[in-house]
Amino acid sequence: MGFARQSVGMVTHGGDQGFERFFRAEHSNVLGLAVVMSGDRETARDIVQEAFLRAYRDWERVATLDAPAAWVKRVAVNLSIDRHRKRDNERIALERLHARPSLEATFDDPAADSWWRAVRELPDRQRAVVALHYLDDMPIKEVAAVLEIAPGTVKSSLSKARSTLARTLGPREADR
Amino acid sequence: MNDDELDRMGRRAAASARRHAATHADPDGDLAAVFARADAEVTARRGPPWWFLAAAAAGIIAIAVGAIGFVNGRRDGDLVAGGPGSTPTTTTITTISPATNVSASLSRSTPGGATTVPTVAPPPTTASAPDTPPATTTTTVGTSATSSTQPSTPVTTAAPPTEPPTTTTLPYASSDEVLADPDVFGDDGRPRRLVDRSIVVGDDASTAIPIDVPESELRLIGVGPDDVAYVWAVDPGTAQTRIVAVPTSGPNVGVVTERAAFAEDGPWYPRMTETGVDTMALVGQEVVPYLDADGAPVARDDRYTWSVEHRFDDADTAAVITERATGATATVPETVPAIEGYFDGPIRPLPDGRVVVTVSRDGTTPVDWAYDPGTGTWTEHPR
């Protein structure tokens, strides 16, 4: 489905079609990333829209980047981290009121639920590294490029994350 | 849970998440939402629509007319004096109430009974590049610097999450951190360790990769791209020293390739850098390029466009940075006492083009200096 833009003023250069193609090619990938990072489908959708909106606002520049998809994923990761912190605060407040939010996305594989729940308990950087590395099957160098950190930092973060996951998931899976 | 089980579970979870995203994705809805939000921002930036302005103008005119009437003492409903001898008449202006309640017209009822009120789009924000670094400053020194503060960044109503509050922390890993956290991790995230004369992957002793070299003293320097480990090999008898590359995965696993040889032992400080193994010494320096899994040198990362050299004389060490392409140089304003272990190697520019060099003040306190090639100024960032 194509969208005939009835813009009220947004610059509608030839890039609109280019943006739409880019959007459709990357939408599912960014959504998956946002879902596993945020753990909440509606939040993830909002993150996806916001990330692509930022790309659209600056599309003339973003389109010329070597990897526009990496740019959007970086925005999505940062937004997810931001929302995750806010949601943590909300969760704490709700728990104080003896109520728990039931917004968590559920997957078709119980092991995936356990895995991504454990991933979301990791520190921000480790969470982002694990999500990109496993979800997109992304090599270290690409993860480093997306997050704009050194490859060595990605590797050490991944190693620490794996140690934590092995420790936390081992007992959980053993309980199954 | 061992490494293989962890990887299997991660792959399963990733596949499930991809299916989840594919199943629940609504690209048409999201794309429409993106365009709608973009248009709302433009509308907000443009100001109120014409009909709103027209209504406001009409209101202002009406008020003005009323005010004039009031000043003239001719208020609605008052007795109006006619001409001489005329019969006084009364004129009444009736106020007509709007047919619909204003608040009702502005809100929409949902089937569930809840009322939603259209939200006003937030004011437009500047294009938010995710790679904008925080602007933090304490001192500025340089040829063209006249102020002790940097220009402030544009204020946005919805700052990108990559722009944390003002801080003196720079978004990069300093050389101190690199040295404190040696890069011994492979692309799979598992650490490599030197156990006896073998490299072991993770904690699994069955993965031991023997290092077939004659030297008796070995040290693991680190792991570079493609899981290739770099080992420092020394023969204490002859003081011969070599750096050898040993792939720890792939088809050439365990195949030893000499990368550098030194005629005499010395106070070497090999360390992993972005482009290769940097062999720092009191005199002389060499960056040994990394190899890929097939044994070919790895191309240099073009992002590392600047190099740094610590030049020392009898008293002080000055750090000089050089842009590879142009040869342009700049000297860090702060010198430090002559020290061993100076280095010459690549440094990575910040996303905004600034370049950072760390010096050790008083030999203990690391201080970051950021250089802005555009203005030729240095900015100090204490930690």
Side-chain angles (χ1 to χ4, degrees), chain B residues 9 64 70 77 98 109 117 126 139 150 154 160 163 180 184 199 205 208 242 271 280 304 329 355 358 366 372 375:
Chain B
M9 188 172 180
F70 180 80
S109 292
V117 179
T126 56
T139 310
Q150 281 188 323
E163 293 184 345
V184 296
I199 295 174
R242 296 193 301 155
R271 69 179 187 123
M280 299 167 285
Y304 302 91
T329 61
V355 186
T358 302
D372 183 343
T375 61

Side-chain angles (χ1 to χ4, degrees), chain A residues 1 3 5-10 16 19-20 23-24 27-28 31-32 35-36 41 45-46 48-50 52-54 56-58 61 71 74-75 78-79 82 105-112 114-116 133-137 140-141 144-145 148-153 155-156 158-163 165-166 169-170 173, chain B residues 1-4 6-7 9-22 24-43 45-46 125-131 158-162 171 173 181 183 185-191 223-225 227 274 298-299 301 303-304 348 351:
Chain A
M1 175 181 171
F3 282 90
R5 296 277 288 114
Q6 296 179 341
S7 174
V8 296
M10 177 67 72
D16 261 12
F19 174 79
E20 187 174 336
F23 179 94
R24 292 188 183 284
H27 177 266
S28 182
L31 179 64
V35 165
V36 300
R41 207 186 309 163
R45 215 176 151 190
D46 193 44
V48 167
Q49 291 178 10
E50 177 66 26
F52 278 106
L53 175 62
R54 291 185 184 196
Y56 184 63
R57 277 189 202 132
D58 205 11
R61 186 181 72 82
W71 191 95
R74 183 159 66 246
V75 173
N78 290 329
L79 288 169
D82 197 37
T106 51
F107 302 100
D108 58 7
D109 183 347
S114 301
W115 170 273
W116 293 119
H133 181 64
Y134 280 96
L135 186 66
D136 284 356
D137 206 15
I140 298 294
K141 198 170 181 180
E148 292 206 320
I149 56 179
T153 307
K155 289 194 278 186
S156 60
L158 187 58
S159 179
K160 288 170 187 165
R162 288 170 56 88
S163 298
L165 289 173
L169 287 170
E173 289 306 294
Chain B
M1 180 176 287
N2 64 32
D3 286 330
D4 288 339
L6 195 69
D7 274 338
M9 188 172 180
R11 283 194 294 270
R12 252 177 79 179
S16 178
R18 283 193 290 268
R19 284 194 299 273
H20 183 279
H24 294 91
D26 178 14
D28 290 340
D30 285 345
L31 184 59
V34 168
F35 284 154
R37 287 169 70 174
D39 282 349
E41 288 181 357
V42 173
T43 304
R45 191 158 48 228
R46 281 184 151 192
T125 62
T126 56
S128 50
D131 50 5
T162 46
D181 190 12
D183 188 359
F185 299 99
D187 289 348
D188 56 5
R190 300 186 208 179
V223 178
D227 295 344
E274 294 84 356
V298 175
D301 190 332
R303 287 176 303 173
Y304 302 91
R348 181 183 173 182

